[in-house]
Amino acid sequence: MTVRQIAEILDAEILCCEELADSVNIHSACGSDMMSDVLAYVKDQGMLLTGLVNPQVVRTAEMMDMCCVAFVRGKRPDAAIIQLAQSKNIILLTTQERMYPACGKLYKAGLDAGKPI
Amino acid sequence: MSELIHLHYDVDGEDFVSCGHASEDVRRTLKSIGISGEVIRKVSIAMYEGEINMVIHADGGVADVSICEDGIVVTLSDTGKGIADIDQAMQEGFSTATDEIRELGFGAGMGLPNMKKYSDSMDIKSEVGKGTVVTLKFNL
């Protein structure tokens, strides 16, 4: 599904790279506040859901070839983080949803957990 | 193997915010010379883990990347406190990171195991009180 569809499901605000929201397709996602675990256990997921807000979230997403990060629980990154994501063409979303329902809604809509490694 | 490109970076131990710059730059360089996506991913993740480790545990250090025809060698050197028991440090989940680091999303004890997983070979030399040198090799 497109990032635009994901944003609608999560009732999320698109914080940057909105011009890519209709063309970037996401097939699987993961949710974690521990970037260590994302780096260790994730493969081929196009999207990260997290409640952690710091620049290393964007760098972790980049290293994992992810195209979208959704901040849950209403977390909102500062301008420097948004600029960093913009420079890497990583779409940032923010939603009031908590982690569990956010993941559940996307899973129910067809976004799976990807391949285990 | 003859070296085609050598990259050198100082990793600032005081600056968690900009940690990852070296890995980003290596990633860009590897892309620009047409290295496969899978290799780029492995190098980036392993080196990024190394950079994070240097900032968390060793007040920074230096990273050297040697790109050759048949492989890439990443050397991460620091003059930090060293690793007392390398076998223990290699166990998944073992970490000496502080709660403050965990609040930043790291320190789950996956750094070194992850570097080993993503590289084709890894060597660690460490002396307590003097520092650590981690050498990662990736086949092309």
Side-chain angles (χ1 to χ4, degrees), chain A residues 33-37 39-44 52 54-56 59-60 62-65 84 88 117, chain B residues 16-17 19-21 23-24 27 41 44-45 48-49 92 102-108 110 114 117-118:
Chain A
D33 287 352
M34 276 306 272
M35 297 304 104
S36 289
D37 284 348
L39 289 163
Y41 298 117
V42 168
K43 191 180 182 193
D44 296 336
L52 185 73
N54 67 47
Q56 301 310 335
R59 293 217 171 82
T60 299
E62 182 192 23
M63 301 304 164
M64 305 308 289
D65 295 324
L84 182 68
K88 299 172 188 308
I117 54 168
Chain B
F16 179 79
V17 169
C19 181
H21 274 175
S23 308
E24 283 176 348
R27 190 179 165 84
R41 178 186 157 85
S44 322
I45 295 172
Y48 181 53
E49 290 275 24
E92 289 189 7
R102 289 201 179 87
E103 282 165 17
L104 295 169
F106 293 91
M110 295 305 296
N114 222 15
K117 181 168 83 180
Y118 284 106

Side-chain angles (χ1 to χ4, degrees), chain A residues 10-73:
Chain A
L10 297 178
D11 194 18
E13 181 185 343
I14 301 175
L15 299 172
C16 70
C17 303
E18 185 164 3
E19 69 281 6
L20 302 174
D22 294 304
S23 57
V24 170
N25 273 284
I26 306 282
H27 303 285
S28 62
C30 68
S32 179
D33 287 352
M34 276 306 272
M35 297 304 104
S36 289
D37 284 348
V38 175
L39 289 163
Y41 298 117
V42 168
K43 191 180 182 193
D44 296 336
Q45 276 93 337
M47 176 182 179
L48 169 67
L49 292 96
T50 186
L52 185 73
V53 183
N54 67 47
Q56 301 310 335
V57 172
V58 174
R59 293 217 171 82
T60 299
E62 182 192 23
M63 301 304 164
M64 305 308 289
D65 295 324
M66 291 171 166
C67 341
C68 178
V69 176
F71 295 100
V72 297
R73 305 191 290 272

Side-chain angles (χ1 to χ4, degrees), chain A residues 91-103:
Chain A
I91 307 167
L92 297 185
L93 310 177
T94 182
T95 174
Q96 294 297 324
E97 294 279 8
R98 288 163 292 141
M99 179 72 93
Y100 183 70
C103 292

